[in-house]
Amino acid sequence: MESVNPSSTTQDLLGDLDEIVVLNYATKGQRFANYFIDRILAYGFAILVAATLGAVIGLSGGTGEGVFEGLPLYILMYGSYLAYYTLIEGLTKGRSVGKLITRTQAVTFDGQPITFKLALLRSLCRIVPFEAISGLGSVPWHDRWTETTVINK
């Protein structure tokens, strides 16, 4: 007959409980507020970048012809958008201005703060067409694809 040591079973069971992470997920309302606030600020940042570029071109004697139309304009706008989200979330470990206001934070699925690399990946996911609409579902694509989520801080 094999004997079982009850204390070792209890210890293993309690050890498994230490690995369970309980996250207090942000509400859809908080997430929408984050999106709205950060979208306005990202556009403002893009306009600031464009105005600065225009001033530099003007001061250097250039005309800026072709810079603010077509493909160069898209690159400028999307580049500014990526820079805003990547820098703000990367430097603050998952807190954008919108998230600061709503007291939320982007974290990994296991509750760890996001890295600069994850902030960049989340930003890249946000420029996928119709990505914003995915927020109407259960998990927005930029969370699903990067294995992150937004929690109450």
Side-chain angles (χ1 to χ4, degrees), residues 23-150:
L23 299 175
N24 182 9
Y25 296 105
T27 65
K28 284 193 183 282
Q30 287 172 307
R31 298 213 49 171
F32 179 75
N34 295 343
Y35 170 80
F36 187 75
I37 294 165
D38 288 325
R39 182 57 68 116
I40 290 170
L41 292 172
Y43 284 145
F45 180 72
I47 290 167
L48 180 65
V49 168
T52 303
L53 180 61
V56 168
I57 291 171
L59 290 173
S60 65
T63 63
E65 187 174 325
V67 174
F68 298 108
E69 56 189 48
L71 183 60
L73 177 62
Y74 282 109
I75 291 171
L76 176 69
M77 296 307 285
Y78 282 115
S80 298
Y81 188 74
L82 288 172
Y84 169 80
Y85 274 106
T86 302
L87 290 173
I88 195 87
E89 281 193 340
L91 294 173
T92 62
K93 306 252 188 250
R95 312 258 342 246
S96 64
V97 175
K99 290 179 186 74
L100 286 168
I101 292 170
T102 63
R103 298 175 194 239
T104 57
Q105 179 180 11
V107 296
T108 61
F109 280 168
D110 63 356
Q112 298 300 312
I114 66 170
T115 62
F116 201 83
K117 177 183 174 183
L118 279 175
L120 173 62
L121 292 173
R122 283 170 56 87
S123 300
L124 287 168
C125 291
R126 285 184 174 108
I127 65 171
V128 171
F130 306 109
E131 193 280 334
I133 296 171
S134 73
L136 299 173
S138 59
V139 180
W141 294 342
H142 66 272
D143 282 349
R144 182 176 302 144
W145 296 340
T146 60
E147 296 183 352
T148 60
T149 191
V150 178

